[in-house]
Amino acid sequence: MTLGTRWSRPLTLAGLAVVPVAVLGVFFVLPVAGMLHEGFWADGSFDPGAVLEVLGRPRVHRVVWFTVWSATVATVVAVLLGLPAAHALHRLRFPGRDLVRAALLVPFVLPTVVVGVAFRQLLGEAGPLGFLRLDGTAIAILAGLVFFNVALVIRGVGTAWESLDPRPAEAAAALGAGPVQVFWTVTLPALRPAIVSAASVVFLFCATAFGVVLTLGGLRYSSVETEIYLLTTNLLDLQAAAALSILQLVAVAALLLVAGRLRAVPGGGADRVVARPRRPARGDTAALVATTVLLVLVAAPIATLVSGSLHVDGGWSLDNYRALTTDGTHQALLVPVTDALVTSLRTAVDATWMSLSMGLLVAFVVTRRSRSRAERRVRSGLDGFFMLPLGVSAVTLGFGFLITLDHPPIDLRDSPFLVPIAQALVALPLVVRTIVPVLAGINDRQRQAAASLGAGPLRAVLTVDLPVVWKPLLAASGFAFAASLGEFGATSFLARDDHPTVPIVIYRLIGHPGPMNFGMALAASVVLAATTTVVMLVVERLRVPSVGAF
């Protein structure tokens, strides 16, 4: 082996990794370091006691406790509702199954502020469930969290469920075990890693839900995310916000480490059998009924949102949609919603190509076959580094951008790419999670065969990788676009007043009194929800298996 051949692969690896490493270094490591500096270095001197003082405040204790218990309860409810639906939608075959699966996926990609507005319309005094007087209560927040995250359980557990070998369950049934006993003794133990992994991710999303808590909790309830936002924007207490961000960073990173270890579900050998979906039997009635109830519960807030947007002064009208070209009553907005929609679309397009470019490079680097121990260690280290953004919430990321990228040598305060970059980092894990399993599943011998036939590296990618990965690429693009279009946490810190996105103007509209402003918020929410729904319906039609893992 010549010296050039020996070093060609490590040099190629370094060349591919240098761009994403540099981008993460500037737009992730630097903001996080700035946040840590803000928390620990008060007035230029190292002062860890300042962080401890913030964490010792009674209000911080209440905020942390509310975040933990609300996320826990919402996770338990989401798992209990999602398991029957996962069985019905991934193990049974019935008319309209694909449509139901797509419908139950939509809530996960709806902008969080839209979910908050929908539940306010449903539970408010004038809403269908207003008589329950749940608006502004913890129960309303829990309902919004479950609505937003139940799709994670359905897709995560359902993907594992449909890949289970049916023979152990059939053997248990042949030995006289009933359906319930088969589930508890055979199926549930096999699904336990997927359930625990899905529950961990659901807890993470519930604990870092920003828009849902902000719109439904008001001033009475606050999570760690909303408290960071309020400390920064209302009280200008950057050190306290940094202390909470540090606490959240440590907690989320620990949770992601646990979820990562539990994510892998043991597979079978070469003789493994995967059952095809079957027709429903009498024993599946409960799962089908539970799925129908869940579908109704998911549809109710969305239907109420659409109905409210078309209801003006006791009659049906499109006035709320026509008003989207205005700045609302009492000049609630600096720019019309239609202008904000153009800004959102343009920003989402930029964030999509950024996250897709980064995600492709990351996926290509971490899935190539390692031929030496040193190369394996380098790839493992890069894989861990590229996944670091998973450990930081969007609010914390936006806060880090705010305090570090506003002065030379990196001054991006007036850059039109500041918000797209933040949104691209938020969407990056979705892109990587969609593409990596597909690239990792390609047999490296196919690339070697193409090379032996004279194909260069680019030709091998076009003939071997591209035919397999083009659908996941489209799905990843859809996920990134939908996530960027509705991103609210980081954008709430970074968006300029004269160039807001639609989630920002929706929040401003519901914060200004007046029926016209609230009607415009409903109409804008419908427009945003319809756009993300169309995108996700297209993604669902692509039928990409790795999408189930999120």
Side-chain angles (χ1 to χ4, degrees):
M1 179 181 293
T2 65
L3 184 62
T5 304
R6 179 181 178 183
W7 288 100
S8 61
R9 287 179 61 85
L11 289 175
T12 301
L13 175 63
L16 291 172
V18 66
V19 174
V21 167
V23 171
L24 283 184
V26 173
F27 296 109
F28 176 77
V29 176
L30 183 62
V32 171
M35 181 188 66
L36 294 174
H37 184 275
E38 188 72 29
F40 284 109
W41 277 265
D43 300 324
S45 59
F46 182 65
D47 184 15
V51 174
L52 298 178
E53 185 275 328
V54 171
L55 299 182
R57 296 176 184 176
R59 175 173 174 81
V60 171
H61 293 168
R62 293 194 298 270
V63 167
V64 172
W65 171 242
F66 175 77
T67 302
V68 172
W69 82 258
S70 62
T72 301
V73 173
T75 299
V76 172
V77 175
V79 170
L80 293 178
L81 291 176
L83 284 178
H87 169 71
L89 297 175
H90 289 266
R91 292 304 295 260
L92 304 180
R93 183 179 71 253
F94 54 88
R97 186 190 67 160
D98 291 343
L99 183 60
V100 174
R101 286 170 64 161
L104 292 178
L105 176 64
V106 167
F108 176 68
V109 295
L110 283 181
T112 55
V113 68
V114 171
V115 174
V117 171
F119 273 88
R120 287 188 61 175
Q121 181 66 12
L122 177 67
L123 303 175
E125 292 184 3
L129 300 182
F131 65 93
L132 297 176
R133 297 182 179 179
L134 296 177
D135 189 24
T137 66
I139 295 178
I141 297 174
L142 292 175
L145 295 177
V146 173
F147 171 88
F148 187 72
N149 291 291
V150 70
L152 281 169
V153 178
I154 296 174
R155 296 304 296 266
V157 178
T159 301
W161 208 330
E162 68 183 3
S163 65
L164 288 182
D165 190 335
R167 291 176 295 183
E170 293 170 353
L175 293 174
V180 176
Q181 188 176 5
V182 169
F183 175 78
W184 285 105
T185 59
V186 179
T187 305
L188 187 61
L191 289 176
R192 188 175 291 117
I195 294 174
V196 175
S197 177
S200 302
V201 178
V202 169
F203 182 89
L204 170 66
F205 278 105
C206 290
T208 58
F210 176 62
V212 173
V213 179
L214 191 64
T215 53
L216 292 177
L219 299 176
R220 184 177 179 185
Y221 297 99
S222 183
S223 66
V224 172
E225 291 264 290
T226 59
E227 190 70 6
I228 294 172
Y229 175 77
L230 295 174
L231 285 170
T232 304
T233 58
N234 291 6
L235 302 179
L236 301 178
D237 191 349
L238 298 184
Q239 188 175 27
L244 278 178
S245 297
I246 293 168
L247 173 65
Q248 185 186 54
L249 174 64
V250 173
V252 171
L255 184 62
L256 283 170
L257 180 62
V258 173
R261 291 182 177 274
L262 296 172
R263 183 169 294 116
V265 180
D271 61 341
R272 181 169 170 268
V273 176
V274 177
R276 293 184 178 182
R278 57 176 174 80
R279 292 181 179 274
R282 180 178 299 178
D284 301 314
T285 303
L288 292 173
V289 171
T291 304
T292 303
V293 172
L294 180 60
L295 184 62
V296 172
L297 294 177
V298 166
I302 300 175
T304 306
L305 177 67
V306 176
S307 174
S309 71
L310 296 171
H311 210 67
V312 180
D313 295 330
W316 299 101
S317 172
L318 293 174
D319 286 351
N320 287 331
Y321 291 89
R322 298 188 184 100
L324 296 182
T325 59
T326 71
D327 56 4
T329 56
H330 307 295
Q331 294 184 330
L333 303 175
L334 294 180
V335 298
V337 177
T338 49
D339 290 357
L341 180 60
V342 173
T343 300
S344 289
L345 293 172
R346 183 168 55 244
T347 303
V349 169
D350 289 336
T352 299
W353 70 257
M354 290 178 185
S355 62
L356 200 64
S357 302
M358 279 277 292
L360 271 173
L361 283 175
V362 169
F364 193 83
V365 168
V366 302
T367 58
R368 298 300 91 176
R369 184 180 179 183
S370 300
R371 296 184 179 177
S372 66
R373 180 176 298 178
E375 188 178 350
R376 190 179 303 112
R377 289 178 178 177
V378 171
R379 291 188 191 278
S380 178
L382 288 173
D383 188 19
F385 179 72
F386 293 144
M387 290 298 103
L388 283 177
L390 281 172
V392 176
S393 71
V395 167
T396 301
L397 185 65
F399 176 54
F401 271 45
L402 184 69
I403 63 176
T404 56
L405 301 182
D406 61 343
H407 51 79
I410 305 176
D411 187 355
L412 298 177
R413 285 174 298 180
D414 299 323
S415 173
F417 289 107
L418 183 62
V419 175
I421 289 172
Q423 293 184 357
L425 287 177
V426 172
L428 181 62
L430 290 172
V431 174
V432 174
R433 287 282 179 83
T434 304
I435 298 176
V436 163
V438 179
L439 280 180
I442 298 176
N443 194 330
D444 198 49
R445 294 178 180 177
Q446 297 179 13
R447 302 186 184 98
Q448 296 172 3
S452 66
L453 293 174
L458 180 59
R459 181 69 180 274
V461 169
L462 294 177
T463 57
V464 177
D465 294 40
L466 186 60
V468 178
V469 83
W470 72 270
K471 277 190 176 182
L473 279 177
L474 291 179
S477 301
F479 262 126
F481 184 83
S484 302
L485 195 63
E487 205 286 317
F488 183 49
T491 309
S492 62
F493 285 91
L494 304 175
R496 293 163 49 184
D497 292 338
D498 55 343
H499 286 86
T501 60
V502 175
I504 300 297
V505 300
I506 291 173
Y507 181 68
R508 289 177 182 172
L509 284 169
I510 63 176
H512 283 75
M516 179 180 175
N517 289 335
F518 191 72
M520 289 174 60
L522 296 178
S525 298
V526 171
V527 171
L528 195 57
T531 305
T532 55
T533 299
V534 169
V535 173
M536 293 317 302
L537 287 175
V538 173
V539 170
E540 178 66 14
R541 292 292 296 174
L542 292 173
R543 301 296 300 127
V544 177
S546 58
V547 168
F550 289 100

